[in-house]
Every structure is written in structure tokens, then in C-alpha cells.
Amino acid sequence: MTTILGKEAELYETLPNDKVKCTACARYCEIGKGQIGLCGIRGNENGKLQLYAYGKVISGHVDPIEKKPLIHYYPGSKVYSIATTGCNWLCRYCQNSDISQRRTVEGIDMTPDEVANTAVKYGAHGIAYTYNEPSIFIEFARDCGIAARKKGLFNVFVSNGYDTPESVSMMNEFLDGITVDFKGSAEKEFTRKFIGVPDPQPIFDTLLEIRDKTKIHVEITDLIVPKVGDDLEHARKLSKFIYDEFGPEMPIHFLRFHPDYKMMEYPSTPVETLEKHYQVAKDVGLKYVYLGNVPGHKWEHTYCSECNKIVVNRYGFSIREWHLDKNNCCEFCGNTIPIEGKLQEGYKQDRFQFVS
């Protein structure tokens, strides 16, 4: 491995008095000389913005792409999932808080080529930038992504979507797919109290920017938190936004919350609550609605929007049955299912591997 001691960031503007304005995320932190932004990995070194976590990989695993969750993109594939420390959100329930809320830059030193080579070594089809918000280390992700594409790999983000036009423009240089993770259906009071974000509007703006300026495959998730983030009217508003702006075929996943980090006193989301959210999205007109973190539930499957037969049978992150032809059309009625990419060989094998 090659030792890397950070690198100057690209997404920032200079301000008077040696201050800088970071443009990687919608917080737009204005950072004084010698200070570090809220994310913990972008700081001002003598009037220049430094990405301290460049080349520092804190976690690396190979796992199914369905875990992201991306289930309409290269199903059955394996992704090499990596992260740095830090995050631009302060989620009180974060299941990766040991990574995302760590404010000491740590990790294994890896160059972009070494990241791409590791993905190839473990038989991954792509690289997923996940566990913390990838836009805060986007310059490193971009360099890894370019190296990955040279080796025939794809690149996906698992993102909170709290981005900027500048970061979306950089995504367009290398990114192939993204899961945008809403929390509590983007209800403003929930994001303020439990995430530390005053307004979720930049997430919606990011989605429109991705739609209008890129060809990146998008899927939506919505973490449903019992008692404080499970309002059906806000789920309806979110579903209506997706339907109006992206059409009825955009996949949405309602995810089950489980107690973690600073919200251990909350229960797991009742399955009945998730089912009500599912029905709200279907009533709005969305065709591909899923429940996540509920292994064995009937709404893990993909149903043909025409004949309503199961065309992809799933259990958790595993694919058990596949009823699509070579063009991803329903074998029962011929309807085209909006899944990008072919079913990958080896999808029935164990796709979990610990790397670093």
C-alpha cells in the first residue's frame, strides 16, 4: 500500500481572509484557516481546502448490490464497498456511527488504482461508496471510479442526497448508480431534530439535478422510524414527488428501522407500519415499491406491473427465482421490467466477503 497524506480538494471556493467555502455538500461550510468542516475530513490548510481522508479507507467489504439497496441495477452482482471516516449528517440512529461520526481521520492507505485492483481481486463487478456520505470524499471517489471504469467496473453511491450542483457535476464523471436515502420521509422537523439538517430541500434539488444533468441510475429509500418518522402524509408527499418528477417506474424502498447509536430506546418499525407506507406509494401510482430489512416479506419481490406475477423472487439480499428474458421482459406476459443490466452469473453464491 502507498502512504497518502491527504490531497487538496477541488470542490471549494476561496473567500477573504484565507477562509474557504466547501461546495461538496449542501452545508456549504465556510472554514477558517486551521479549521475543519462539520464532516471532519475537509479542512483549511493555509487558505486551501484539504481532503484529509483522501486515500484513507476505513472499511472495505464485498457484498451483494441488493444490500445497498440497488435491485434494479445489475442484479446478482457483487460490489466492493468502501468508506472513509466522517459524515455531513449527524443521524442519531446511525448504524455506522463508529465510521460516520468518528472525527479522527483513520484508515488503510490505498491509492485509487489499489482500490480498483482490490475490487477485481475479489471478483466484484463494481465499487460502492457507502457506510458514510460519499460526497464528502468525492474527489477520492472520483479518482477510484475512473480507475474502476478502466477495469470494466461500475460505480455506485449510497447517499443522503444532501449535495450540490458542483458535486453532481463531479458524479457525472464516474458514477453509474445511486441510492438516495430519505429519512422519515423528509419531514422537516425529523431532519432537524434527528439528523441535524435544518431543511431537506437540497435532497430534492439534488435528485432533479441528477435527472436533468446525468444518466445515473437512481433508486430511492425511505427509512421509517416509529413514533417520530412514520407519518403517512409525508410518505404520500414524497411518493407524489417521485411520481411527478421521475414517473411511476422509479423504485422506492421503505426500510425498517432498528434501534442503534443514540436511539436505543426506540422499537423496530412495526411491519404493519411499513405495509401502510407501501400502500400509500402504490396508491400514488408507483409501480415498484419494496419493503427492506424484512426478510421473507412478500413485498421484497419484484412483481410485473402488467400481470402482477413475481418476476424476481427474493429473500433478503438473495435472488431465488428469475423470470425475465434476456431483454428483462416478463416471461409470463412480455412486459418490460425497468431493470438495468443482466442477471449476473454466480448470483446464487455467497456474495459476502470481508476485505479490510
Side-chain angles (χ1 to χ4, degrees), residues 34-94:
Q35 296 180 334
I36 297 175
L38 180 139
C39 68
I41 65 170
R42 301 173 76 88
N44 185 333
E45 289 277 344
N46 298 314
K48 295 182 179 181
L49 185 65
Q50 192 82 354
L51 174 54
Y52 295 118
Y54 189 100
K56 293 284 187 180
V57 177
I58 190 67
S59 183
H61 302 268
V62 173
D63 46 27
I65 196 168
E66 289 82 4
K67 186 174 181 289
K68 301 302 107 189
L70 280 164
I71 64 175
H72 281 218
Y73 190 80
Y74 285 85
S77 60
K78 296 195 297 186
V79 288
Y80 177 39
S81 299
I82 65 168
T84 69
T85 54
C87 195
N88 61 346
W89 278 16
L90 305 170
C91 300
R92 294 178 60 84
Y93 47 79
C94 183

Side-chain angles (χ1 to χ4, degrees), residues 219-270:
E219 298 189 27
I220 304 295
T221 66
D222 186 12
L223 180 69
I224 306 305
V225 183
K227 301 181 180 181
V228 293
D230 60 357
D231 184 83
L232 289 175
E233 188 54 38
H234 282 94
R236 184 173 288 106
K237 289 179 181 178
L238 175 58
S239 298
K240 185 74 163 53
F241 167 82
I242 295 168
Y243 181 89
D244 289 345
E245 300 295 345
F246 291 90
E249 294 189 335
M250 167 74 85
I252 181 170
H253 311 250
F254 292 108
L255 304 182
R256 191 181 197 188
F257 165 91
H258 67 262
D260 214 323
Y261 193 35
K262 296 180 179 179
M263 292 181 70
M264 296 298 295
E265 73 275 21
Y266 285 79
S268 295
T269 315

Side-chain angles (χ1 to χ4, degrees), residues 249 287-288 303-309 335-338:
E249 294 189 335
K287 296 180 178 180
Y288 298 97
Y303 294 82
C304 175
S305 60
E306 289 295 325
C307 69
N308 205 38
K309 291 188 177 180
N335 179 45
T336 299
I337 308 300

Side-chain angles (χ1 to χ4, degrees), residues 69-281:
L70 280 164
I71 64 175
H72 281 218
Y73 190 80
Y74 285 85
S77 60
K78 296 195 297 186
V79 288
Y80 177 39
S81 299
I82 65 168
T84 69
T85 54
C87 195
N88 61 346
W89 278 16
L90 305 170
C91 300
R92 294 178 60 84
Y93 47 79
C94 183
Q95 63 182 3
N96 299 315
S97 59
D98 58 325
I99 293 172
S100 68
Q101 302 309 308
R102 190 179 304 198
R103 289 301 180 264
T104 301
V105 176
E106 297 174 308
I108 296 172
D109 291 302
M110 297 183 76
T111 67
D113 282 336
E114 287 169 342
V115 170
N117 289 337
T118 300
V120 171
K121 174 183 175 181
Y122 285 91
H125 303 90
I127 298 176
Y129 308 85
T130 178
Y131 306 133
N132 67 334
E133 173 50 45
S135 62
I136 66 170
F137 64 91
I138 191 168
E139 294 92 345
F140 179 51
R142 187 272 315 275
D143 292 350
C144 293
I146 289 174
R149 279 188 168 178
K150 290 177 180 178
K151 297 183 179 299
L153 307 176
F154 60 73
N155 299 281
V156 298
F157 268 14
V158 179
S159 173
N160 58 36
Y162 201 65
D163 297 313
T164 65
E166 293 88 345
S167 54
V168 171
S169 178
M170 186 168 284
M171 288 178 201
N172 201 32
E173 297 179 33
F174 71 99
L175 200 63
D176 301 291
I178 187 170
T179 296
V180 175
D181 291 334
F182 283 92
K183 318 293 185 182
S185 303
E187 192 272 312
K188 193 171 182 178
E189 182 63 18
F190 178 85
T191 62
R192 183 193 66 78
K193 185 174 181 180
F194 295 97
I195 299 174
V197 169
D199 190 344
Q201 184 58 42
I203 311 169
F204 296 95
D205 296 339
T206 291
L207 280 167
L208 298 180
E209 189 81 5
I210 290 172
R211 181 197 67 186
D212 295 340
K213 303 289 181 63
T214 81
K215 294 182 178 179
I216 296 169
H217 173 88
V218 179
E219 298 189 27
I220 304 295
T221 66
D222 186 12
L223 180 69
I224 306 305
V225 183
K227 301 181 180 181
V228 293
D230 60 357
D231 184 83
L232 289 175
E233 188 54 38
H234 282 94
R236 184 173 288 106
K237 289 179 181 178
L238 175 58
S239 298
K240 185 74 163 53
F241 167 82
I242 295 168
Y243 181 89
D244 289 345
E245 300 295 345
F246 291 90
E249 294 189 335
M250 167 74 85
I252 181 170
H253 311 250
F254 292 108
L255 304 182
R256 191 181 197 188
F257 165 91
H258 67 262
D260 214 323
Y261 193 35
K262 296 180 179 179
M263 292 181 70
M264 296 298 295
E265 73 275 21
Y266 285 79
S268 295
T269 315
V271 174
E272 180 183 3
T273 300
L274 295 173
E275 291 171 340
K276 290 178 179 177
H277 282 72
Y278 174 97
Q279 197 57 56
V280 162

